[in-house]
Amino acid sequence: MGIDPGIAITGYGIIEAEHSRYRLVDYGCIRTAPRIPLQQRLLKLHQGISMLIDQFSPDYMAVEQLFFNRNTTTAIPVGQARGVILLAAAEHQLALAEYTPLQVKQAIVGYGRAEKTQIQFMVMRLLKMKNIPKPDDAADALAIAISHAHFYSTRQLHDNQGREQEN
């Protein structure tokens, strides 16, 4: 399960991965209205993430780390959104991984300065989708899920090779 956190829109993407093969399970967004109080927005986000975890029973949750190079005024609300997302993962005893945007770009495209359109195209190709997933937040969440599957399988391969060398 990949999560692209946000207070107004949180993207989610759920995939199944076996080695370097990926299968799309579900994707979408949890939206909160700016007119409702912040605590209600955070509650709705927490409930939405918890519902997805209950429905799909993922093995892992991968969340994008906070990165703000321009608009730092959104850092606090996004940080609060991340907090309730991480809380939902902890409540469900779900293994958690966090990735920077650079790591996601490298895993998906092989280039840390890749454009958003390149990432979306590769997500579409890797998941054998007919169209680029929309909205962008959901496409980003799918990219985060694929990145975790990639890094996880690479770690497993490395760990297995290390065990073979020990024997």
Side-chain angles (χ1 to χ4, degrees):
M1 172 182 227
I3 303 290
D4 180 31
I7 191 66
I9 303 173
T10 290
Y12 67 88
I14 300 163
I15 65 167
E16 287 181 357
E18 188 173 329
H19 306 291
S20 61
R21 291 194 174 108
Y22 310 111
R23 186 180 75 77
L24 176 64
V25 175
D26 194 23
Y27 70 97
C29 292
I30 300 168
R31 298 175 187 270
T32 67
R35 68 182 180 282
I36 64 174
L38 176 62
Q39 68 270 25
Q40 293 301 315
R41 295 175 85 180
L42 294 172
L43 177 62
K44 180 178 180 180
L45 178 55
H46 180 269
Q47 290 171 336
I49 294 294
S50 292
M51 184 186 74
L52 289 168
I53 293 170
D54 288 339
Q55 181 179 354
F56 293 105
S57 301
D59 294 325
Y60 301 93
M61 178 187 286
V63 181
E64 187 175 70
Q65 288 181 347
L66 281 178
F67 177 77
F68 290 90
N69 60 351
R70 287 187 210 123
N71 190 359
T72 56
T73 58
T74 59
I76 292 173
V78 173
Q80 292 169 324
R82 279 186 89 253
V84 299
I85 291 165
L86 300 181
L87 175 63
E91 287 175 335
H92 290 83
Q93 299 178 351
L94 192 56
L96 182 73
E98 298 177 85
Y99 298 99
T100 65
L102 178 69
Q103 289 173 311
V104 172
K105 290 175 181 181
Q106 288 174 331
I108 300 298
V109 180
Y111 176 62
R113 304 247 186 263
E115 298 292 325
K116 188 173 277 287
T117 55
Q118 292 172 293
I119 296 163
Q120 291 169 340
F121 177 78
M122 285 304 297
V123 166
M124 179 184 75
R125 295 287 307 254
L126 289 167
L127 294 174
K128 298 174 180 62
M129 300 172 75
K130 293 180 182 178
N131 298 306
I132 289 176
K134 294 288 181 192
D136 290 352
D137 308 271
D140 291 348
L142 287 168
I144 293 162
I146 294 168
S147 296
H148 178 70
H150 171 76
F151 286 123
Y152 183 78
S153 66
T154 302
R155 265 192 304 253
Q156 274 190 318
L157 179 63
H158 183 267
D159 290 349
N160 290 340
Q161 288 174 344
R163 281 190 215 105
E164 288 173 6
Q165 289 177 356
E166 289 174 2
N167 294 332

